[in-house]
Amino acid sequence: MSSPMHVRKAIHFASLRAQGKGGLALRLLLAAALAGFLLVFAARSLSSPSPLPTASRRQEAAECGGGGGDKGLPLAVAEALVHYTTSNTTPQQTADEIGVSLRVLQRRAPCNFLVFGLGFDSPMWAALNHGGRTVFLEEDASWIASVRSKHPSLESYHVTYDTVLTEADALLELRDHPACVAQPDLASAAEASCRLALRGLPPAFHELEWDLIMVDAPTGWTPQSPGRMGAIYTAGMAARARRPGDGPTDVFVHDVDRPVEDAFSKAFLCEGYLAEQVGRIRHFVIPSHREKDGTPFCP
C-alpha cells in the first residue's frame, strides 16, 4: 500500500502535468540532451587510443557478436533512455526550467550534484551528470523503495525534517539570528541550535564538495508538510562552507512561485547571488565564504 506522502506526490505530479501541454516539449528536450551526451561520449571514445586487444578480450568480443569496443553505454544514460522513451511521465519542471540547470551541467559535468528530492526527473539528472556523482535526498522511504526498484543505479538516501510549513513565518525571522547567519558551516549552525540546519544527513553529504545543488523537495503544498525552509538554508550553508579554491556552488530552487520558496531563497541564498530566474526556478551562484575571512552572509 502506498504511503499518504507517496499518494500526495503522485497527485501533485499528475496535477502538474494537467496544468500545461509541455509534455512533448519536455520529452524532446530530454531526447536532445541525451542525444547530445551520446555524441560527446562517442567522440571521446573514438578519440581515445584503445589498447591492443588481448586473446581474452578478442574472445569476449567474439562472444558479444564480434565487436571490438570495450566501452558500453553508461548505465545511467541507458536507464534514462529506456525510462523516457517507454513512459508517459515527464519531469515536473518545464523545458525552459530544465534548461537553466542543463546549461550549467553542460559546463561543469562531471561534477558533484546534490538534489533534494527523488522524482520523475531523477534519471535525467543522473544521466546528464554521467561520470560525476549525483545524490538524491528524499523524505519518503516508501517512495525511495519504489524508485529504486525501477532505477537501481540512482544513489538516494532517506532524510527527515523537523519543521512544518506553518512555522515558515517564524523561521524566516532567523535570517537575523547569529545562530544561523554567523556560523562558518552547517555543523556549527546545528551546534548553535539553528532550527533551519538539517541534522542526520547521510555521510555522503559531508564527504563531498558540492558543485551543484537542486532544491526541489521536501513537500511544501499542505500546511503540515515539512516545507523547504531547512533544505534551502542547508544548501546555502553547504555552498558557503565549500573548500577554498574549488570555485562557487550553483544552487537551484524550484517552485519559487510559492511564498516559502520565494522568501527563503531570497533571504538565505541572497538576492545578491541571484544569477537567473526562468519560470518557477531560481539560479544562485554562491562563492565559498572560506576564501576570505569576514565575508558577510549576503553581499
Side-chain angles (χ1 to χ4, degrees):
M1 180 181 294
S2 299
S3 70
M5 190 178 300
H6 192 157
V7 172
R8 289 202 303 270
K9 279 178 176 288
I11 293 173
H12 180 59
F13 292 150
S15 67
L16 286 174
R17 291 183 59 208
Q19 288 172 8
K21 299 181 179 179
L24 178 59
L26 281 170
R27 297 182 74 174
L28 290 174
L29 173 69
L30 294 175
L34 291 172
F37 168 82
L38 291 175
L39 288 173
V40 173
F41 180 77
R44 287 178 177 174
S45 300
L46 291 172
S47 63
S48 301
S50 299
L52 292 175
T54 62
S56 61
R57 278 181 176 270
R58 286 195 295 270
Q59 179 62 28
E60 290 173 0
E63 292 173 355
C64 291
D70 60 353
K71 294 182 179 179
L73 189 64
L75 180 58
V77 177
E79 286 186 352
L81 283 172
V82 172
H83 174 68
Y84 291 114
T85 54
T86 61
S87 173
N88 288 325
T89 59
T90 54
Q92 51 265 41
Q93 296 185 26
T94 68
D96 288 341
E97 290 167 353
I98 291 173
V100 175
S101 307
L102 176 60
R103 288 189 290 274
V104 177
L105 277 168
Q106 288 174 323
R107 174 169 49 85
R108 302 197 68 172
C111 62
N112 294 326
F113 187 11
L114 177 68
V115 182
F116 284 87
L118 188 65
F120 295 133
D121 52 5
S122 298
M124 173 190 68
W125 296 129
L128 294 176
N129 189 34
H130 168 66
R133 188 168 176 184
T134 306
V135 174
F136 301 92
L137 304 182
E138 169 60 37
E139 67 190 288
D140 186 353
S142 65
W143 181 254
I144 292 176
S146 175
V147 173
R148 279 179 178 170
S149 69
K150 300 178 181 67
H151 306 283
S153 68
L154 296 181
E155 183 179 0
S156 57
Y157 300 97
H158 181 232
V159 294
T160 59
Y161 298 86
D162 62 359
T163 58
V164 292
L165 198 64
T166 53
E167 299 177 301
D169 288 343
L171 292 173
L172 188 59
E173 296 178 3
L174 294 178
R175 171 60 184 82
D176 299 319
H177 199 293
C180 296
V181 300
Q183 307 302 322
D185 52 41
L186 188 67
S188 300
E191 291 177 4
S193 300
C194 176
R195 278 287 315 282
L196 290 169
L198 296 185
R199 296 160 176 79
L201 294 172
F205 175 86
H206 304 284
E207 293 168 359
L208 299 176
E209 301 288 334
W210 297 106
D211 302 296
L212 277 73
I213 303 177
M214 171 77 70
V215 180
D216 206 359
T219 49
W221 58 84
T222 63
Q224 293 306 310
S225 58
R228 298 178 185 172
M229 301 83 72
I232 291 171
Y233 172 81
T234 295
M237 291 301 287
R240 291 179 177 88
R242 187 174 170 88
R243 184 171 53 214
D246 283 356
T249 301
D250 291 278
V251 180
F252 307 89
V253 179
H254 191 224
D255 295 318
V256 295
D257 56 323
R258 303 192 305 203
V260 166
E261 285 80 353
D262 175 45
F264 276 76
S265 65
K266 289 177 178 177
F268 292 99
L269 301 181
C270 306
E271 293 184 78
Y273 292 141
L274 179 62
E276 182 180 10
Q277 177 173 342
V278 174
R280 299 168 297 152
I281 196 159
R282 235 170 239 161
H283 172 206
F284 299 83
V285 180
I286 303 178
S288 169
H289 284 201
R290 295 170 62 189
E291 297 274 4
K292 183 180 179 181
D293 291 338
T295 302
F297 189 82
C298 283

